């Protein structure tokens, strides 16, 4: 027996719902020009995370860590949302999707129009002083090639969660509550290797949600908590899904299935 088109299965699952939640990772922004950390194009190929992305490394040598952070600020500043970010905003606008929990720090969900975004690892938009706690918009202080400084003289840290830092408590509480109470969890573009974000799909599954994974690759989740794996790129799959959800019937014309929403 051949299996039904998984995107059509996902469309059937989502139609009429009001309790879907999405968990997104670096993969959803790859088609916006921001490479994932893992993989051949990833920043980790160039910068060892234990040397460049821990709080300890930042405290020891902030100028060095800013070499990696500077690339991230520039990449995020140049990026625009893609069809996957816009698709999630569309699902929220139609009352199907309740929240987006994102591990990303690029602000692209908000740029796409999603209102309820839970930023699990913070955001690149703000800088914070680890001495006097003063905050600044990144665009006010950041100059490419330099480590930005506070008026007190200390080097500023971006308001993102480095390895070794706790998850902001409100984001963690809200994310776990969404996971415990959603009916469908869409897991998009995450390797699910970063803890504790990787617990969110497990919490959702344990509470009875159907977990749908959109990722060209299989992950540790695929064979453990995922009920439906859609092996494709985030923008292509979300583009197809949105068209199918707009279509009143299930007899969706096959020639349109590769259509990617602009
Ligand atoms: P990851 O780098 O560990 O994994 C990325 C996943 O995305 C992989 O499983 C890969 O198969 C998949 N993927 C690649 N291209 C895709 C596409 N076009 N569509 C769908 N999936 C695709 O990412 P992670 O799990 O999010 O963990 C990395 C951590 O680094 C996160 O915590 C995040 O905070 C941070 N990060 C953020 C950004 C960003 O803000 N855009 C970018 C890189 C890393
Ligand atoms: Zn300061």
């Amino acid at each position: 027996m051949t299996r039904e088109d998984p995107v059509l299965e996902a469309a059937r699952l989502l139609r009429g719902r009001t309790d879907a939640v999405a968990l997104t990772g670096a993969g959803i922004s790859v088609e916006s020009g921001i490479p994932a950390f893992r993989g051949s194009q990833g920043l980790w190929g160039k910068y060892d995370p234990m040397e460049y992305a821990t709080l300890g490394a930042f405290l020891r040598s902030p100028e060095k860590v800013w070499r990696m952070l500077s690339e991230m600020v520039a990449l995020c500043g140049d990026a625009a949302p893609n069809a996957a970010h816009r698709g999630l905003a569309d699902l929220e606008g139609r009352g199907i999707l309740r929240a987006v929990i994102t591990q990303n720090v690029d602000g692209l969900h908000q740029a796409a129009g999603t209102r309820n975004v839970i930023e699990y690892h913070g955001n690149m938009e703000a800088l914070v002083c680890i001495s006097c706690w003063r905050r600044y918009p990144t665009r006010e202080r950041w100059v490419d090639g330099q480590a930005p400084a506070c008026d007190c003289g200390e080097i500023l840290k971006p308001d993102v969660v480095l390895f070794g830092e706790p998850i902001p408590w409100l984001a963690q509480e809200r994310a776990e509550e969404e996971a415990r109470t959603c009916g469908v969890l869409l897991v998009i573009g995450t390797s699910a290797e970063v803890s504790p974000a990787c617990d969110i799909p497990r919490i959702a599954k344990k509470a009875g949600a159907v977990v749908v994974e959109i990722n060209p690759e299989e992950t540790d989740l695929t064979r453990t908590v995922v009920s439906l794996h859609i092996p494709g790129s985030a923008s292509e799959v979300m583009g197809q899904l949105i068209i199918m959800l707009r279509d009143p019937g299930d007899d969706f014309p096959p020639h349109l299935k590769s259509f990617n929403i602009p």
Side-chain angles (χ1 to χ4, degrees):
M1 197 179 80
T2 53
R3 195 173 172 158
E4 183 176 46
D5 175 356
V7 188
L8 189 54
E9 265 188 74
R12 287 217 184 96
L13 196 59
L14 289 171
R15 193 169 289 142
R17 278 198 175 268
T18 56
D19 61 356
V21 167
L23 169 69
T24 66
I28 197 171
S29 296
V30 165
E31 290 158 289
S32 291
I34 306 176
F37 278 6
R38 291 169 188 81
S40 54
Q41 304 293 309
L43 279 180
W44 289 160
K46 200 162 156 190
Y47 299 105
D48 175 356
M50 288 308 119
E51 219 184 304
Y52 283 90
T54 68
L55 182 62
F58 187 87
L59 296 175
R60 272 191 306 278
S61 181
E63 291 90 350
K64 177 176 165 180
V65 172
W66 262 106
R67 288 207 286 280
M68 182 271 290
L69 290 172
S70 260
E71 282 202 36
M72 209 46 203
V73 174
L75 285 166
C76 292
D78 288 344
N82 64 52
H85 301 100
R86 289 196 298 275
L88 290 176
D90 185 300
L91 291 184
E92 183 190 58
R94 283 189 288 142
I96 295 173
L97 191 79
R98 216 167 55 188
V100 173
I101 305 163
T102 189
Q103 298 166 80
N104 296 344
V105 294
D106 53 31
L108 292 181
H109 287 297
Q110 292 91 332
T114 298
R115 293 155 73 100
N116 192 18
V117 182
I118 300 170
E119 289 183 315
Y120 205 76
H121 290 155
N123 196 306
M124 274 291 183
E125 272 175 14
L127 302 172
V128 60
C129 177
I130 52 171
S131 175
C132 71
W133 299 108
R134 189 161 168 195
R135 292 169 63 86
Y136 303 85
T138 303
R139 65 179 175 282
E140 271 182 21
R141 291 273 151 164
W142 179 73
V143 180
D144 198 4
Q146 290 175 28
C150 179
D151 285 346
C152 78
E154 189 66 63
I155 292 182
L156 293 163
K157 186 182 101 53
D159 199 12
V160 300
V161 176
L162 298 174
F163 289 111
E165 284 192 84
I167 306 302
W169 69 269
L170 189 55
Q172 177 139 27
E173 284 295 318
R174 288 179 61 209
E176 289 186 7
E177 179 63 14
E178 292 294 354
R180 273 192 298 271
T181 57
C182 66
V184 173
L185 183 72
L186 299 175
V187 180
I188 308 175
T190 176
S191 65
E193 285 179 17
V194 177
S195 176
C198 60
D199 294 336
I200 293 167
R202 295 185 176 93
I203 294 170
K205 172 76 175 179
K206 203 166 162 217
V210 179
V211 180
V212 177
E213 181 177 52
I214 301 174
N215 194 319
E217 312 281 335
E218 293 200 348
T219 69
D220 281 352
L221 301 175
T222 315
R223 290 183 195 287
T224 51
V225 299
V226 166
S227 300
L228 179 61
H229 174 226
I230 309 179
S233 89
S235 73
E236 197 177 324
V237 171
M238 283 303 297
Q240 290 175 10
L241 190 59
I242 294 301
I243 295 173
M244 287 183 186
L245 283 165
R246 278 189 196 141
D247 195 71
D250 277 341
D251 45 355
F252 184 76
H255 69 281
L256 281 182
K257 284 190 182 158
S258 60
F259 181 69
N260 200 353
I261 287 192

